[in-house]
Amino acid sequence: MNVLFVVPDTIKMELLSIELLSACLKRAGHATRLAYSNHPDFWRRAGAFRPDLAAFSVTTGMHHGMALLAGDMKRRLPGLLTVFGGPHATFHPGMIEEYPGVDALCRGEGEAALVALAGALQGGRDHSRIPNLWVRAAGGVVRNPLGAPAELDGLPFYDRDLFAEADPDLSASTTRAVMVSRGCPYSCSYCYNRGYKALYGPAAGLARAMSVPRAIAELKRLLLSAPRTRFIEFHDDIFPYSDDERLEEFADLYRREIGLEFFTYLPPARGGRDFIARLKRAGCGFLGIGLECGDEAVRREVLRRPRYSNADVAAAVGACRELGIRSLTTNLVGLPVADCLRTDLGTLAVNIAARPTLALSYLAQPYPGTELAEIAVRGGFFRAGARIDFNNKADSPLDFPEGRTAIEKTALMFGLLLLLPKGWWAFLYLAHRGFKFNVVGRGDYSLGGFLRELKAFFRYLRTASAEKQLAQAPRI
């Protein structure tokens, strides 16, 4: 059975979930390949492989184009069956009825379901009764219940060859990613974890991790397949070995068997200096800290974040600086709150005071099924059912009284403004709010694109007063 994984060409990174699905299929005796959907070579590559099954993992925003592509593939490749998984398929399974090109979709974890589907198709057996799958059938859509979550230690090693074969440039990277856990103990309003707990039950929504020896074995296998690796990124929602016993076991084995610097995420509530120092001893050289919003009331009541203060964030960043660890904060801007821009500038101010090494910003997205979407609809910031684009860096789907432009530019410029001398950020944002120009190329994040935007800022400041431009600037 030939299974073709299809991903957008805009995603230039290894997708660990797809590598794991591929590994499970290969262990069961099936052949797999990956193709980038909008690559000029896509149709030649897909046709040469002659897939029996095309698999798509989609998030909200990318689902529409990929579902249309699936229909096109079914017309060009007779006998092909398509299956969709990922967050959008899990929490919006009605897409199987919206798009004729979707033959089946998987809700929740897909390793066992995809292997069972491939096996049934290969053996000519009925594939409509497989747990986790919704399947299009002659009498309508068959909706199967969920099976049990996977036992992580029993899964195969990630198939690192899948993306390397499709894009050899990825193999040249000296930074490689790994995930050794699933789930999260929190229920933030913008995340699907609340819905995940509703699907599987509260216990399944909690973080569960590979045993430490199994995680170390995964990393050793990675280093064998990618010997140029010099830095490891743990892409888990939070660092999974936070209890004393497992942290000591991990630190000991990681130092001895792997010995490379790594990056991981840590909630501010767990970011005490002693814990960060122990991560440092294990090899942590870069730590991600989720500030998300500098307004503590918004963070608590709108984002439903675990309780921590801005002082906790500053202390965690300060501990990193003292211990020689680079730090990164994550920040949500464009929230469905009154005076959104003021809230965003407050988040920027907290970052400036804390002084992390880097700050990442993302525009809040009201993904269907999340509490944030309900909040946005109730507040009149979003129309239920409105389309959400895939890009969460340049475009906000929310409607704000002050317009979207300044808020979208906040996301684009956030990290750079953190690096400017104190006081300059406020001055630039006055200009930013008044001068509503388009992003160069609508998504050009290159150095040249940024410099062109910065030049436009200062050209504007030289030729007119900010107040006059604020009053006269047309809406975009």
Side-chain angles (χ1 to χ4, degrees):
M1 174 67 57
N2 289 349
V3 181
L4 181 70
F5 291 97
V6 183
V7 300
D9 194 30
T10 51
I11 300 178
K12 285 297 185 181
M13 60 183 295
E14 291 181 274
L15 297 180
L16 297 170
S17 58
I18 292 178
E19 290 184 342
L20 189 52
L21 291 170
S22 177
C24 290
L25 286 164
K26 286 183 175 180
R27 185 170 67 176
H30 305 291
T32 66
R33 182 168 292 181
L34 183 137
Y36 289 106
S37 60
N38 46 349
H39 192 279
D41 201 36
F42 173 76
W43 288 108
R44 186 205 64 78
R45 184 173 175 82
F49 185 56
R50 302 180 65 182
D52 304 290
L53 178 63
F56 303 77
S57 180
V58 294
T59 56
T60 300
M62 75 161 66
H63 69 282
H64 177 70
M66 299 299 271
L68 295 180
L69 174 62
D72 199 10
M73 291 180 68
K74 287 178 65 63
R75 288 187 289 273
R76 295 197 189 196
L77 302 170
L80 179 71
L81 188 135
T82 64
V83 59
F84 277 65
H88 190 80
T90 294
F91 296 103
H92 194 75
M95 71 174 297
I96 194 172
E97 297 171 312
E98 298 171 18
Y99 298 99
V102 180
D103 294 317
L105 63 78
C106 178
R107 302 189 73 200
E109 298 185 6
E111 290 85 9
L114 190 57
V115 169
L117 176 60
L121 293 174
Q122 185 176 49
R125 302 187 301 274
D126 176 26
H127 64 276
S128 66
R129 300 294 176 181
I130 296 172
N132 291 45
L133 295 188
W134 284 26
V135 181
R136 189 188 302 277
V141 175
V142 180
R143 298 167 173 81
N144 293 294
L146 295 179
E151 171 55 51
L152 300 188
D153 275 11
L155 294 173
F157 296 124
Y158 291 106
D159 178 12
R160 302 285 178 173
D161 295 333
L162 184 72
F163 278 83
E165 188 274 334
D167 186 356
D169 288 343
L170 290 177
S171 300
S173 175
T174 57
T175 298
R176 303 305 288 267
V178 69
M179 285 185 68
V180 297
S181 69
R182 290 183 183 174
C184 178
Y186 306 122
S187 296
C188 304
S189 68
Y190 52 87
C191 179
Y192 282 126
N193 196 51
R194 184 184 69 155
Y196 191 80
K197 291 175 182 177
L199 279 177
Y200 280 103
L206 299 176
R208 67 192 200 276
M210 296 177 183
S211 65
V212 172
R214 172 63 179 81
I216 298 300
E218 183 72 58
L219 289 164
K220 291 173 71 173
R221 178 63 175 265
L222 164 61
L223 297 183
L224 284 175
S225 64
R228 296 181 56 183
T229 302
R230 296 294 179 267
F231 191 83
I232 300 292
E233 292 183 348
F234 286 91
H235 282 191
D236 307 271
D237 289 344
I238 60 174
F239 182 71
Y241 306 121
S242 57
D243 57 280
D244 290 344
E245 182 178 351
R246 289 193 301 169
L247 177 57
E248 288 305 314
E249 182 184 14
F250 172 81
D252 179 59
L253 284 175
Y254 188 90
R255 281 197 308 265
R256 182 155 35 93
E257 302 287 344
I258 309 301
L260 296 177
E261 263 197 333
F262 67 85
F263 168 87
T264 188
Y265 284 102
L266 189 68
R270 297 188 182 184
R273 187 190 183 286
D274 179 64
F275 189 85
I276 294 175
R278 295 166 73 187
L279 283 178
K280 168 73 173 179
R281 289 194 294 272
C284 180
F286 204 164
L287 190 62
I289 301 165
L291 170 60
E292 310 309 350
C293 180
D295 186 313
E296 295 184 1
V298 171
R299 193 165 64 218
R300 182 175 60 253
E301 297 165 12
V302 176
L303 299 184
R304 309 294 192 212
R305 292 285 291 166
R307 287 186 176 273
Y308 56 89
S309 66
N310 292 340
D312 291 332
V313 175
V317 171
C320 288
R321 190 162 48 245
E322 179 186 341
L323 293 165
I325 299 175
R326 300 182 298 282
S327 61
L328 173 152
T329 60
T330 55
N331 305 272
L332 279 171
V333 299
L335 297 172
V337 297
D339 203 351
C340 173
L341 187 60
R342 183 185 181 91
T343 300
D344 293 344
L345 293 177
T347 301
L348 179 61
V350 173
N351 276 273
I352 290 173
R355 296 187 294 131
T357 310
L358 294 172
L360 296 183
S361 64
Y362 304 93
L363 285 159
Q365 305 291 314
Y367 291 124
T370 63
E371 187 180 2
L372 190 68
E374 300 168 6
I375 293 171
V377 170
R378 286 198 306 268
F381 295 94
F382 187 68
R383 178 174 52 82
R387 183 171 174 178
I388 299 175
D389 291 326
F390 174 57
N391 190 339
N392 67 354
K393 286 294 287 184
D395 301 295
S396 172
L398 301 183
D399 295 316
F400 301 99
E402 63 266 49
R404 298 176 182 171
T405 304
I407 291 166
E408 289 173 343
K409 298 299 180 280
T410 304
L412 185 66
M413 303 285 284
F414 197 98
L416 178 87
L417 293 172
L418 172 68
L419 303 178
L420 292 173
K422 188 176 181 180
W424 273 90
W425 66 271
F427 179 62
L428 278 177
Y429 260 103
L430 286 175
H432 188 192
R433 193 170 185 179
F435 188 80
K436 299 176 185 290
F437 53 82
N438 284 324
V439 175
V440 178
R442 201 57 182 161
D444 179 3
Y445 305 124
S446 66
L447 178 60
F450 167 73
L451 291 176
R452 284 192 291 274
E453 290 203 60
L454 197 61
K455 182 179 179 181
F457 267 126
F458 286 103
R459 183 170 61 245
Y460 158 70
L461 291 171
R462 286 195 307 268
T463 57
S465 74
E467 290 184 4
K468 183 176 180 181
Q469 289 293 322
L470 274 171
Q472 297 179 351
R475 295 282 181 182
I476 293 177

